[in-house]
Amino acid sequence: MLIRPIAKRNGVTVTIVAALFIFSSIISLLTISADSDNALYFPLSAGALMIGICLLIVGVVKINDMYYRFSLTKEGLHYFTSRGGFTILWQDIQRIDIPKINDGLALKELPYIGIRLKQREHLINSASLPTLSHMLLEQRALIMLTDPSSSLYGNADNMLYPDVKVTHNYHGLQAMFINRMQYLHNTLGYDIYFPNDDLDRAPAEFVQLLREFKTDCPRSS
């Protein structure tokens, strides 16, 4: 089963809106005369043009991103990015849910899907180094949610956890990614996180979908 991210579909909408902004602002700039009565419209039109260009860049980036974000098979969950991907085996998954943080006296859902792993080796070994770098950058926002101090945010990738249990020795980006996983495991309860923009449906429905695939896996327990 292939999952097309909702952000991909939004890319077309953003591009169309950007084109309308650019077209209307250019027409406006061409028709504005040098009269003082129209002097206010020039900066407004120029601002609309800049907004349109920015939206166009965002839309093109979204459209050129991977057409599918996930592939769900009997083996596991396969994740794709423009820099590569990785695989999470169903039997390696302990829990799938929406992570939450304390917000006063209530619990607030984060805009992510969280997966708690029994073991991490297959994920790490199947992931390309550019993919790990991409995930480290994407998940820095989660560090700010767990502790908004700038020092933690700046040093998040350098934190060491000597009690991380792996069957191989890891270095460089792989070690940094394991350290990040361990920190988020200790603070939010999950090892890997996928933003809601990567999904094709409501987060609760996607969680249920993954749980059903995991249940149907013959070797999952």
Side-chain angles (χ1 to χ4, degrees):
M1 180 177 182
L2 296 173
I3 303 297
R4 183 185 180 189
I6 191 171
K8 182 78 174 180
R9 285 173 273 175
N10 291 342
V12 176
T13 303
V14 171
T15 302
I16 293 174
V17 172
L20 292 175
F21 262 92
I22 294 174
F23 178 78
S24 60
S25 58
I26 290 177
I27 295 298
S28 179
L29 288 171
L30 292 176
T31 55
I32 289 176
S33 65
D35 297 339
S36 59
D37 293 339
N38 294 327
L40 179 62
Y41 292 101
F42 182 83
L44 292 177
S45 299
L49 178 60
M50 294 301 297
I51 293 174
I53 293 174
C54 292
L55 289 176
L56 181 62
I57 294 173
V58 172
V60 170
V61 169
K62 287 182 178 293
I63 290 175
N64 289 333
D65 197 2
M66 296 296 295
Y67 193 80
Y68 293 108
R69 186 65 75 210
F70 299 96
S71 173
L72 307 181
T73 67
K74 292 183 178 180
E75 176 191 21
L77 180 156
H78 309 278
Y79 183 69
F80 309 110
T81 73
S82 58
R83 300 183 180 184
F86 55 78
T87 296
I88 302 176
L89 301 178
W90 297 122
Q91 62 263 27
D92 289 344
I93 295 177
Q94 181 178 11
R95 182 183 178 190
I96 307 168
D97 211 336
I98 300 173
K100 302 177 180 66
I101 58 173
N102 291 321
D103 186 15
L105 298 178
L107 289 176
K108 177 182 178 182
E109 291 187 349
L110 299 179
Y112 293 86
I113 297 295
I115 295 180
R116 187 184 182 103
L117 299 175
K118 300 175 184 176
Q119 56 181 4
R120 304 158 177 162
E121 286 85 348
H122 189 276
L123 186 158
I124 296 296
N125 293 334
S126 68
S128 66
L129 294 183
T131 301
L132 296 181
S133 176
H134 171 78
M135 296 294 289
L136 282 169
L137 291 174
E138 266 203 344
Q139 295 184 354
R140 289 176 75 90
L142 287 168
I143 302 295
M144 290 297 292
L145 292 173
T146 58
D147 190 330
S149 66
S150 58
S151 60
L152 176 60
Y153 181 77
N155 296 319
D157 296 335
N158 298 320
M159 293 182 294
L160 300 178
Y161 294 90
D163 59 338
V164 175
K165 297 180 180 179
V166 293
T167 58
H168 300 85
N169 292 323
Y170 292 98
H171 307 279
L173 278 174
Q174 288 182 324
M176 292 168 66
F177 192 72
I178 290 177
N179 291 342
R180 171 69 63 79
M181 292 174 74
Q182 184 64 35
Y183 174 77
L184 294 176
H185 177 100
N186 293 339
T187 54
L188 294 176
Y190 303 90
D191 298 275
I192 194 75
Y193 300 78
F194 300 113
N196 289 351
D197 283 348
D198 283 349
L199 314 180
D200 66 342
R201 64 198 71 193
E205 295 177 3
F206 195 78
V207 167
Q208 183 60 33
L209 176 66
L210 295 185
R211 288 173 177 172
E212 291 173 359
F213 266 86
K214 176 176 169 19
T215 300
D216 292 339
C217 174
R219 292 181 293 172
S220 181
S221 60

